[in-house]
Amino acid sequence: MTELVDSEPGSAGGQPPLSLGTAAARNLSTITKSVPQMQEISSRWLLRVLPWVQVAGGVYRVNRRLSYTVGDGRVTFTNVGAEVRVIPRELGELPALRGFDDVEILDALADRFVQREYASGDVLVQTGQPADTVHLIAHGKVNKIGNGAYGAEAALGTLSDGDYFGEQILTDPPGDWEFTVRAITGCTVLTLPRAAFEELRNRSEALRSQLEQHQNQPEPPRNKYGEAAITLAAGHTGEPDLPGTYVEYDLTPREYELSVAQTILRVHTRVADLYNEPMNQTEQQLRLTIEALRERQENELVNNREFGLLHNADLKHRVQTRTGPPTPDDLDEMLSRQRGTRFILAHPRAIAAFGRECTHRGIYPQSIDITGNMVPAWRGVPILPCNKIPVTAARTSSIIVIRTGEEDQGVVGLHQTGIPDEYSPGLSVRFMGIDEKAIISYLVSAYYSAAVLVPDALGILENVEVGRFHD
């Protein structure tokens, strides 16, 4: 008895097929297909939550009240191998030396700093001991600890790279430390003994003059933010003479120019003419190019050294984690420093690390709805993922706390609409012609920037450890 087998041509049985094979049938069928997919596309929450301001002239000027704050408040260092040295001019960040420009004396002062290494847990200074050294933290992180009202230890703050303490010994009479400083991580610290400083001061007339001027010249009235004070009267009765005042403006306000991300999209005319069914090839090429351009735009808004959020946060609003991983205590500290916080932006690994810390404490953060998406939140503030925030090789990252909008003196995105050949707000697609090789070229451009209206609109939780797990 002969068995009939349905086989494709060339099958092992060698029998001719009894029906049409699938390979031939596909030539007559219409295949259901997807549009081209792309793994690089992310949620791009930052672009979605920033309010965008129209910048008609291509430049956005942020006018503020006059501030007397000078410098960035942090000292910078250089190193040759393991040997670290403070940059002499950076000593001008110390209040007593602000404005002092005698390079020879500053260089001699920098040479008198002694490098010291501390391990995690070591005590740099102890409450009640003589305060006789200036400490510059070149690398690492330390905790300032004081005595609480009820006898327990109270955290006074965390210091890290570029911070300093003990600067008062340059002008104040001898005294004792009013706090303890303990290393959280391994630290490299440069110390200046009082005796070494006094020896240089006794030899330099210019340095003595600088210190006397610092002690005798009253600082202009200012509020706690460093802004020129506005004189007011309150609580009076009768008809006293009221003070006159005015609001002083910063004479050199910062201006933000729109940045640009561009590329040239090339499509061969043969492809554009013949291969447009069922999908338009040019449209798909353009769609994916714009997606990549928007990804780069968000990356620049986070990391650009001129206007990126990570580089434009005021140093007074940069907070160090107390133990490494992001804890509820750390986020509470950030929220307490920034008024009206709208959003928290963090790398997905940092969000996972925060979730682990909450789980370890038996805390379960709520979730809230943002434009139809359920996202985690802390104290009612949504925590949004942003994979453009870098994670270092040491498995540390940063968490951004942000207030948005012009009406709240927050952070705003900048763009210009109505540009020639506009494809979407702030983005244009301009036809550049067809070359001698029959290739069509399109110039794709996105114009954007971001501005921080007042310093407390943006805060950064730094050195967030994302690789720690609990057993």
Side-chain angles (χ1 to χ4, degrees):
M1 181 176 180
T2 303
E3 182 178 0
L4 298 180
V5 180
D6 184 5
S7 61
E8 296 286 347
S11 62
Q15 298 294 327
L18 301 182
S19 62
L20 182 66
T22 57
R26 287 181 61 188
N27 294 331
L28 300 181
S29 70
T30 299
I31 299 174
T32 301
K33 59 183 71 69
S34 73
V35 297
Q37 306 298 302
M38 182 176 177
Q39 295 186 69
E40 187 181 5
I41 299 175
S42 66
S43 55
R44 298 200 292 267
W45 276 107
L46 179 58
L47 298 187
R48 295 160 64 179
V49 301
L50 271 185
W52 292 89
V53 175
Q54 166 72 353
V55 182
V59 178
Y60 185 81
R61 178 181 297 158
V62 178
N63 289 310
R64 292 178 179 172
R65 280 174 60 184
L66 176 65
S67 175
Y68 291 117
T69 304
V70 179
D72 61 8
R74 287 191 175 179
V75 181
T76 307
F77 306 84
T78 60
N79 70 288
V80 178
E83 183 180 353
V84 179
R85 186 175 189 268
V86 61
I87 297 175
R89 286 189 176 275
E90 286 292 306
L91 292 174
E93 295 294 342
L94 303 179
L97 299 177
R98 191 158 292 156
F100 186 58
D101 56 2
D102 190 319
V103 178
E104 182 178 352
I105 298 301
L106 290 175
D107 193 65
L109 189 59
D111 289 338
R112 283 165 168 75
F113 278 87
V114 179
Q115 181 175 338
R116 300 185 184 278
E117 304 291 337
Y118 296 92
S120 176
D122 287 351
V123 174
L124 282 68
V125 302
Q126 182 72 45
T127 303
Q129 292 181 349
D132 56 0
T133 49
V134 179
H135 293 72
L136 310 180
I137 301 174
H139 179 68
K141 189 161 59 172
V142 302
N143 268 342
K144 287 179 65 176
I145 303 167
N147 294 322
Y150 298 95
E153 289 187 346
L156 303 181
T158 302
L159 306 178
S160 64
D161 302 7
D163 289 325
Y164 54 85
F165 64 93
E167 70 281 359
Q168 69 276 6
I169 76 163
L170 302 183
T171 54
D172 293 353
D176 296 331
W177 292 113
E178 297 179 352
F179 51 81
T180 296
V181 177
R182 184 180 298 125
I184 305 173
T185 66
C187 295
T188 300
V189 180
L190 299 186
T191 63
L192 175 68
R194 181 192 292 270
F197 175 75
E198 290 182 346
E199 181 268 333
L200 182 61
R201 181 185 62 187
N202 293 335
R203 293 196 296 109
S204 171
E205 176 63 32
L207 182 55
R208 289 197 300 274
S209 176
Q210 166 69 22
L211 297 176
E212 290 173 1
Q213 181 181 4
H214 171 74
Q215 289 178 304
N216 298 328
Q217 182 178 3
E219 294 185 348
R222 66 184 71 181
N223 60 22
K224 65 179 181 179
Y225 304 105
E227 297 172 327
I230 299 175
T231 307
L232 304 170
H236 51 276
T237 59
E239 299 178 353
D241 292 334
L242 298 180
T245 191
Y246 66 98
V247 180
E248 183 67 83
Y249 297 141
D250 186 354
L251 298 180
T252 57
R254 180 171 179 180
E255 294 183 345
Y256 294 84
E257 294 185 5
L258 292 184
S259 183
V260 62
Q262 292 178 306
T263 190
I264 297 175
L265 173 63
R266 295 185 174 94
V267 181
H268 200 284
T269 53
R270 181 171 62 249
V271 172
D273 292 343
L274 302 180
Y275 298 94
N276 277 337
E277 292 295 337
M279 300 173 191
N280 186 295
Q281 292 282 359
T282 302
E283 287 184 0
Q284 295 303 319
Q285 288 281 303
L286 183 60
R287 178 179 66 84
L288 297 181
T289 300
I290 291 175
E291 292 285 359
L293 207 60
R294 291 303 193 192
E295 293 291 329
R296 171 59 68 88
Q297 176 180 348
E298 185 176 63
N299 183 76
E300 291 290 299
L301 290 174
V302 172
N303 296 295
N304 187 281
R305 298 193 67 86
E306 294 296 323
F307 57 84
L309 301 184
L310 288 180
H311 297 281
N312 279 266
D314 190 276
L315 292 176
K316 296 182 180 64
H317 295 279
R318 295 178 182 270
V319 177
Q320 304 295 320
T321 57
R322 296 187 65 245
T323 59
T327 64
D329 296 333
D330 292 324
L331 287 194
D332 282 344
E333 176 74 10
M334 292 300 301
L335 294 178
S336 70
R337 289 171 175 251
Q338 321 296 131
R339 65 175 176 86
T341 298
R342 295 284 184 85
F343 304 102
I344 299 172
L345 294 172
H347 191 280
R349 292 184 183 179
I351 296 176
F354 177 69
R356 288 194 296 271
E357 293 302 311
C358 290
T359 302
H360 183 65
R361 298 186 179 197
I363 300 172
Y364 301 96
Q366 67 182 114
S367 296
I368 61 176
D369 182 275
I370 300 293
T371 64
N373 299 275
M374 298 301 295
V375 298
W378 182 249
R379 308 294 189 193
V381 180
I383 304 175
L384 305 177
C386 179
N387 63 355
K388 312 306 187 301
I389 301 174
V391 175
T392 68
R395 296 295 185 266
T396 61
S397 186
S398 299
I399 293 178
I400 300 174
V401 177
I402 186 173
R403 181 176 73 248
T404 58
E406 279 189 310
E407 65 283 357
D408 285 337
Q409 300 184 106
V411 178
V412 295
L414 308 176
H415 68 178
Q416 185 179 136
T417 59
I419 57 179
D421 301 307
E422 188 171 61
Y423 186 86
S424 62
L427 186 144
S428 71
V429 179
R430 184 169 296 180
F431 176 67
M432 297 178 63
I434 304 174
D435 65 13
E436 63 276 6
K437 295 182 180 179
I439 295 177
I440 309 170
S441 295
Y442 298 91
L443 176 63
V444 187
S445 307
Y447 299 95
Y448 54 86
S449 188
V452 182
L453 300 188
V454 295
D456 76 345
L458 177 63
I460 307 290
L461 182 64
E462 297 184 317
N463 295 316
V464 174
E465 188 177 4
V466 300
R468 185 183 299 184
F469 292 82
H470 298 282
D471 294 332

